[in-house]
Amino acid sequence: MSTVTQTALQSSYPPTLPKSFNANQPKTIRLYPLSNYTFGTKENQPEEDPSVIARLRRLEEHYSQYGMRRTCEGILVCHEHNHPHILMLQIANAFFKLPGDYLRAEDDEIEGFKNRLNERLAPVGNQFSGEGVNDEWQIGDTLAQWWRPNFETFMYPFIPAHITRPKECKKLYFIQLPRSKVLSVPKNMKLLAVPLFELYDNTARYGPQLSAIPHLLSRYNFEFVDEQGNVTAVTPGGDPGTRPSVKVLAGGDNDTNGAAGKDTNMSLA
């Protein structure tokens, strides 16, 4: 029997169907397309500290006065070509950072976090109007906690055994984006949409906290919705279609090639 005939016979065999793999399914999150959101810019927001040393010194002052510093950052997820993208800030074409910041000592955690998100991303004045301008942030699950054991740059996803008084705890929250929203970024920063595959196992470029986001989001299933509100793909399964890439949404010099192609391999702890 010829090879061609054997191949034809083999391809005619019925497929072996696997057993159901749907027990204890995780929560399903609906993701809306990047094109549903409006992006703009607002006045510069200079960094509080001119250097890493200055930032750690301010942390030490905060700790001596108020105790452990609380920091909240948001994982904002949308999709492009049916692949999840994370909205992320880039500072000085070098540092990547999630929206959010440390809480003031007197702040309630959730309300304080919403205020910090608004400082970074809410539109100002009459810049925009209509749907999505004043929508409140929907703070979802806590996806990770990172701990700073000492007055140094290293943070860990656990408290080392010999540490009894960590200096900072950073919580990463899942932010459920509505169907549409208006976001404005300070002019001295860029707002990027970074696909999950770009973050995965890419600590050299994004650092351990940001490169861990694909692992954190693997707990969810996703529904990908088009501009008309129709579900076009779901996970598990679905065809991602065109290969996505990092997109500059607002801020900076709007040089897409510069953001995606430059050697910007640091994250801001």
Side-chain angles (χ1 to χ4, degrees):
M1 184 179 295
S2 69
T3 303
V4 175
T5 305
Q6 287 179 332
T7 303
L9 287 174
Q10 291 171 354
S11 64
S12 66
Y13 293 161
T16 300
L17 299 178
K19 290 185 177 181
S20 173
F21 200 54
N22 295 318
N24 296 333
Q25 282 289 356
K27 183 189 300 185
T28 296
I29 302 293
R30 175 162 287 193
L31 300 183
Y32 296 96
L34 189 59
S35 55
N36 273 23
Y37 303 101
T38 303
F39 304 97
T41 58
K42 54 187 178 184
E43 291 303 312
N44 288 357
Q45 291 182 4
E47 285 295 294
E48 294 183 75
D49 306 303
S51 67
V52 173
I53 294 175
R55 186 165 75 249
L56 294 177
R57 185 181 300 118
R58 186 162 53 86
L59 170 62
E60 191 168 357
E61 293 170 355
H62 181 283
Y63 181 82
S64 64
Q65 187 170 359
Y66 303 109
M68 185 187 75
R69 186 166 70 180
R70 302 168 299 155
T71 298
C72 297
E73 294 183 349
I75 298 178
L76 287 66
V77 192
C78 58
H79 81 86
E80 177 85 342
H81 303 303
N82 295 339
H83 183 80
H85 283 58
I86 309 301
L87 300 188
M88 193 176 298
L89 296 167
Q90 188 181 30
I91 302 171
N93 285 329
F95 298 103
F96 297 96
K97 188 178 185 300
L98 293 172
D101 212 328
Y102 69 91
L103 303 181
R104 296 176 177 87
E106 67 276 10
D107 285 349
D108 170 79
E109 182 174 338
I110 298 302
E111 290 306 312
F113 181 30
K114 290 178 180 179
N115 291 336
R116 301 317 299 261
L117 287 173
N118 283 330
E119 288 174 12
R120 282 287 193 247
L121 295 179
V124 294
N126 298 321
Q127 186 177 16
F128 297 102
S129 61
E131 183 182 2
V133 174
N134 296 314
D135 289 349
E136 187 166 296
W137 298 100
Q138 299 299 314
I139 310 299
D141 296 332
T142 301
L143 299 183
Q145 294 185 106
W146 287 82
W147 303 88
R148 193 185 305 274
N150 297 302
F151 300 114
E152 55 188 21
T153 58
F154 297 109
M155 298 190 79
Y156 301 87
F158 53 86
I159 302 178
H162 63 285
I163 297 298
T164 58
R165 294 178 175 84
K167 306 308 182 285
E168 181 178 5
C169 178
K170 179 188 291 188
K171 296 174 74 171
L172 303 186
Y173 281 98
F174 182 86
I175 305 294
Q176 178 70 61
L177 284 174
R179 182 171 181 175
S180 64
K181 193 169 181 65
V182 178
L183 302 171
S184 291
V185 65
K187 291 179 181 179
N188 58 314
M189 304 179 187
K190 291 180 181 178
L191 184 62
L192 309 178
V194 183
L196 284 191
F197 72 80
E198 166 75 9
L199 293 172
Y200 177 68
D201 200 26
N202 199 353
T203 56
R205 183 175 176 83
Y206 294 100
Q209 296 174 33
L210 301 182
S211 62
I213 290 176
H215 296 277
L216 302 177
L217 294 181
S218 68
R219 65 185 295 184
Y220 298 119
N221 283 333
F222 293 112
E223 286 182 342
F224 302 99
V225 179
D226 63 16
E227 293 179 355
Q228 288 71 45
N230 302 310
V231 177
T232 57
V234 297
T235 58
D239 180 8
T242 307
R243 180 176 174 85
S245 60
V246 176
K247 292 180 178 294
V248 177
L249 306 176
D253 55 9
N254 288 324
D255 180 4
T256 304
N257 292 329
K262 291 181 179 177
D263 184 17
T264 51
N265 59 352
M266 301 180 69
S267 64
L268 194 58

